[in-house]
Coordinates of all heavy atoms in Angstrom, one line a residue:
Chain Z
L924 N -120.3 74.1 195.8 CA -120.4 74.7 197.2 C -119.3 74.0 198.1 O -119.0 74.6 199.2 CB -121.8 74.5 197.8 CG -122.9 74.9 196.9 CD1 -124.3 74.6 197.6 CD2 -122.8 76.4 196.6
G925 N -118.8 72.9 197.7 CA -117.8 72.2 198.5 C -118.2 72.1 200.0 O -119.3 71.7 200.3
D926 N -117.2 72.4 200.9 CA -117.6 72.2 202.3 C -118.2 73.5 202.9 O -118.3 73.6 204.1 CB -116.4 71.6 203.1 CG -115.2 72.5 202.9 OD1 -115.3 73.6 202.4 OD2 -114.1 72.0 203.2
R927 N -118.6 74.4 202.0 CA -119.3 75.6 202.5 C -120.7 75.3 202.7 O -121.6 76.2 203.0 CB -119.1 76.7 201.5 CG -117.7 77.3 201.4 CD -117.6 78.5 200.6 NE -117.6 78.3 199.2 CZ -117.6 79.3 198.3 NH1 -117.6 80.6 198.6 NH2 -117.5 79.0 197.0
A928 N -121.1 74.0 202.5 CA -122.5 73.6 202.7 C -122.6 72.2 203.3 O -121.6 71.4 203.2 CB -123.3 73.7 201.4
S929 N -123.7 71.8 203.8 CA -124.0 70.4 204.1 C -125.1 69.9 203.2 O -125.9 70.7 202.7 CB -124.5 70.3 205.6 OG -123.5 70.7 206.5
Y930 N -125.1 68.6 203.0 CA -126.0 68.0 201.9 C -126.8 66.8 202.5 O -126.3 65.9 203.1 CB -125.1 67.5 200.7 CG -124.2 68.5 200.2 CD1 -122.9 68.7 200.8 CD2 -124.5 69.3 199.2 CE1 -122.0 69.6 200.4 CE2 -123.6 70.3 198.7 CZ -122.4 70.4 199.3 OH -121.5 71.4 198.8
L931 N -128.1 66.9 202.2 CA -128.9 65.7 202.3 C -129.2 65.2 200.9 O -129.9 65.8 200.2 CB -130.2 66.0 203.1 CG -131.3 64.9 203.1 CD1 -130.7 63.6 203.7 CD2 -132.5 65.3 203.9
K932 N -128.5 64.1 200.6 CA -128.7 63.5 199.2 C -129.7 62.4 199.3 O -129.5 61.4 199.9 CB -127.3 63.0 198.7 CG -127.4 62.3 197.4 CD -126.1 61.7 197.0 CE -126.1 61.0 195.7 NZ -127.0 59.8 195.6
L933 N -130.8 62.6 198.6 CA -131.8 61.6 198.6 C -131.6 60.6 197.4 O -131.4 61.1 196.3 CB -133.2 62.2 198.4 CG -133.6 63.2 199.5 CD1 -135.0 63.8 199.2 CD2 -133.7 62.4 200.9
G934 N -131.5 59.3 197.7 CA -131.4 58.3 196.7 C -132.7 57.6 196.4 O -133.1 57.3 195.3
L935 N -133.5 57.5 197.5 CA -134.9 57.0 197.4 C -135.7 58.3 197.2 O -135.9 59.0 198.2 CB -135.3 56.2 198.6 CG -136.7 55.6 198.6 CD1 -137.0 54.7 197.5 CD2 -137.1 55.0 200.0
I936 N -136.2 58.6 196.0 CA -136.9 59.9 195.8 C -138.4 59.7 195.8 O -139.1 60.7 195.7 CB -136.4 60.6 194.6 CG1 -136.4 59.8 193.4 CG2 -134.9 61.1 194.9 CD1 -136.1 60.5 192.1
N937 N -138.9 58.5 195.9 CA -140.4 58.3 196.2 C -140.5 57.0 196.9 O -140.1 56.0 196.4 CB -141.2 58.3 194.9 CG -142.7 58.4 195.3 OD1 -143.1 59.3 195.9 ND2 -143.4 57.4 194.9
P938 N -141.2 57.0 198.1 CA -141.6 58.2 198.8 C -140.3 58.8 199.5 O -139.3 58.1 199.7 CB -142.6 57.6 199.8 CG -142.2 56.2 200.0 CD -141.6 55.7 198.8
M939 N -140.5 60.0 200.0 CA -139.4 60.7 200.6 C -139.6 60.6 202.1 O -140.7 60.5 202.6 CB -139.2 62.1 200.1 CG -138.6 62.2 198.7 SD -138.5 63.9 198.2 CE -140.0 64.1 197.2

Side-chain angles (χ1 to χ4, degrees):
Chain Z
L924 312 176
D926 53 18
R927 291 191 277 177
S929 296
Y930 308 85
L931 170 56
K932 175 186 180 296
L933 298 176
L935 181 62
I936 55 171
N937 191 58
M939 284 180 266

